[in-house]
């Protein structure tokens, strides 16, 4: 299926930082058909560098980032469900972010864009869902930062979420997760082309952004998957160069992924979105994580992967334990995979079966916003 | 004890790359006294950013990097042993490296410095040991890159090594280890001040070097030790800044460690030494790792740490298995620690007991180069 990106507009969005953002645009795609009862909508939430193009093929032939999970007969079966995916607030793929024009100055915001949170991203998604006329989502789901948004949805809009499926995610960023993000930010801000975020009519800080992406890619893979994919294989040569060229395949791969990223992502979005992740702590302002999930009315399916060292299983288990301690309906699956954090994107065999079964049950027992069971 | 750095000079050093490096200087320190039989010498080999100052206190009051392991009554007991530590080839702390003057041009080498290997570092150390009149070392030991050098010693100069103690190390760099190093190198080379390595009379590439060091520091700690040391604690504030300042303690810590490193380390040395680590594969040119250790005549004590994810225990176990398969005398200890890769430097309680006992036995059964047992 060829997909079309659509755009919704809102006069303003109130932010956690206390400011109000005017003229907000949201880029989103939908797949499948909303049923008459409006009870089959699933909101898919993307990870750090994702976008609204989650499924199908776009006009340039590019498949969606979760095309192996969304489509006819897939985990998020578009013959059964109406799937929505929107680019996050602060992004650079159609939703308002630091590269958008500030209506007050008619120039890109740059660093004058206000600080944002996962809560802000979700508040804007709620406005979109309201606009689409959906009172209660069958499910909210996503991996990594997508899982954080899913949790925020369940905690902030309990009446609007039947099922919540956070995958390879966490209820709060750890010191190590903050540390990796901060190193990427420093790489960007160290690039003289960064120019305090004011580079939109100049050369963007591509060298810094590329280094930041290289760091990211290492954390997305596992030691095992890097060994399997690259090992110590040399790149198009028999001997070491001794010249700081790319001797090893893993070096040229990382350089390529870094450079490629510069063409499709905005450095300021990198800063704003990683900060939103670092600020994320669902339990902030509550005595405990369990207390922050007290009001939730969702069924939960929590998924993690054995070799994911960036969002290790213990973080998913913290979510599960908090939910169990409040007698929430929660299932937890730790899936065996060598692919590290990338597993939720690439190693979807077992994930598909688990999500399919869980969604079928949630659809069967869907409770209308008033509380009655049934579609 | 106040320590003095000494300097040895050699007319030339032959390198693995095929070139000959002229006028080579080695900075080294010694602690304790060489006995009459010259049978109590221990060569301590430093990690990536270390130097010759391993023990005691220097004239500026700075303790040695392994002062908790070397000294009277410590693991490397200077009342019993004569301990030697030299700055590695390619370093920037007194031994010839890319910041040294090229005698042919009377300017710093910069990137005209030849490519180097762990084997080259060890070849130069062997020249130093010969000059000190030591035919057989009681032990070679070190953590991380120091452990790689220790293994290279045992494999390349079997008759000169009674005991080999590689700690938190590996017989070959993995794809993930290469990937982290490569990202650091790219951060340095992306800094415009790098100027193709020609910056010695200008501003050094401090921003790039600082980012490289931040990456390193994350890999030296464990997820657990970062959580214990920093958690999500904010730095001198109650609320988030939303301005890309250092909100979290872990951010300001990493920034500080990055900036501090720039004052004491040379960016070109960073490039050359990390490449030497990446090139390191003891088994290269042999059918197996075991075959590469065939000729060794040492007793081995291999140590790793449970939370060290940069040099994980399986890499130490590979060494142990290779040695066992050739019936070498090898003991392996995986020590429990939360400190990650840093454990070999900071969590030395258990390590001390194990090394002390092993060394006492090796000293008792010391074999002279001709093969007779006994001091």
């Amino acid at each position: 299926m060829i997909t079309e990106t659509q755009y919704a507009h809102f006069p303003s969005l109130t932010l956690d930082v206390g400011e109000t953002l005017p003229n907000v645009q949201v880029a989103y795609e939908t797949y499948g058909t909303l049923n008459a009862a409006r009870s089959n909508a699933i909101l898919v939430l993307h990870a750090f560098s994702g976008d609204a193009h989650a499924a199908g093929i776009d006009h340039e032939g590019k498949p969606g980032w979760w095309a192996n999970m969304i489509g006819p007969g897939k985990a998020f079966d578009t013959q059964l469900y109406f799937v929505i995916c929107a680019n996050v607030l602060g992004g650079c793929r159609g939703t308002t972010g630091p590269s958008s024009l500030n209506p007050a100055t008619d120039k890109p915001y740059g660093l004058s864009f206000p600080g944002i949170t996962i809560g802000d991203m979700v508040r804007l998604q709620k406005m979109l869902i309201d606009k689409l006329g959906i009172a209660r989502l069958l499910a909210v789901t996503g991996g990594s930062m997508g899982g954080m948004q899913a949790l925020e949805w369940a905690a902030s809009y309990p009446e609007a979420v039947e099922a919540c499926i956070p995958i390879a995610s966490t209820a709060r960023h750890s010191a190590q997760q903050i540390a990796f993000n901060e190193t990427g930010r420093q790489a960007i801000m160290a690039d003289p082309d960064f120019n305090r975020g004011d580079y939109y009519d100049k050369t963007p800080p591509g060298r810094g952004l590329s280094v930041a992406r290289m760091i990211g890619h290492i954390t997305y893979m596992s030691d095992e998957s890097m060994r399997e994919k690259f090992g110590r294989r040399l790149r198009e040569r028999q001997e070491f160069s001794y010249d700081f060229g790319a001797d090893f395949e893993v070096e040229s791969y990382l350089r390529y992924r870094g450079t490629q990223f510069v063409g499709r992502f905005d450095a300021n979005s990198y800063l704003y979105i990683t900060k939103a992740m670092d600020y994320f702590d669902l339990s902030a302002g509550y005595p405990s994580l369990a207390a922050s999930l007290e009001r939730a009315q969702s069924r939960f399916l929590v998924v993690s992967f054995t070799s994911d060292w960036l969002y290790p299983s213990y973080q998913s288990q913290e979510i599960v334990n908090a939910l169990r301690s409040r007698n929430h309906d929660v299932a937890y699956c730790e899936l065996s995979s060598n692919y590290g954090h990338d597993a939720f994107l690439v190693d979807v065999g077992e994930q598909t079966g688990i999500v399919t079964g869980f969604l079928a049950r949630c659809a069967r027992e869907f409770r209308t916003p008033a509380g009655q069971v049934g579609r």
Side-chain angles (χ1 to χ4, degrees), chain A residues 67-89:
Chain A
N68 53 6
M69 285 289 288
I70 306 168
K74 297 183 179 168
F76 301 103
D77 189 340
T78 48
Q79 295 166 327
L80 301 175
Y81 308 121
F82 177 63
V83 178
I84 308 152
C85 183
N87 186 213
V88 296
L89 177 70

Side-chain angles (χ1 to χ4, degrees), chain A residues 54 89 235 299 321 363:
Chain A
L89 177 70
R235 176 180 160 270
R299 308 167 204 274
N321 294 351

Side-chain angles (χ1 to χ4, degrees), chain A residues 166-185:
Chain A
I167 303 175
S169 191
T170 182
R172 59 188 147 221
H173 247 205
S174 70
Q176 192 186 61
Q177 289 160 337
I178 295 169
F180 277 117
N181 276 349
E182 170 67 1
T183 307
R185 288 190 293 266

Side-chain angles (χ1 to χ4, degrees), chain A residues 209-249:
Chain A
L209 183 58
S210 178
V211 168
R213 188 58 169 178
M214 290 175 71
I215 300 170
H217 263 290
I218 301 175
T219 65
Y220 303 153
M221 296 183 75
S222 72
D223 183 22
E224 303 94 296
S225 65
M226 282 200 146
R227 191 167 52 244
E228 283 168 19
K229 187 164 182 166
F230 309 111
R232 290 182 50 82
R233 271 196 311 282
L234 298 184
R235 176 180 160 270
E236 295 168 10
R237 66 188 70 199
Q238 302 300 316
E239 306 215 330
F240 298 146
S241 71
Y242 294 105
D243 68 356
F244 307 112
D247 288 291
F248 297 99
E249 278 188 13

Side-chain angles (χ1 to χ4, degrees), chain A residues 10-15 17-25 89-90 95-98 100-103 109 112-116 120 124 127:
Chain A
F10 303 95
S12 69
L13 173 69
T14 306
L15 301 174
V17 70
E19 295 183 39
T20 298
L21 195 65
N23 293 11
V24 180
Q25 171 173 291
L89 177 70
T95 294
T96 299
S100 302
L101 286 187
N102 179 347
Y109 281 103
S112 75
F113 196 73
I116 56 170
D120 294 329
L124 181 57
M127 288 158 65

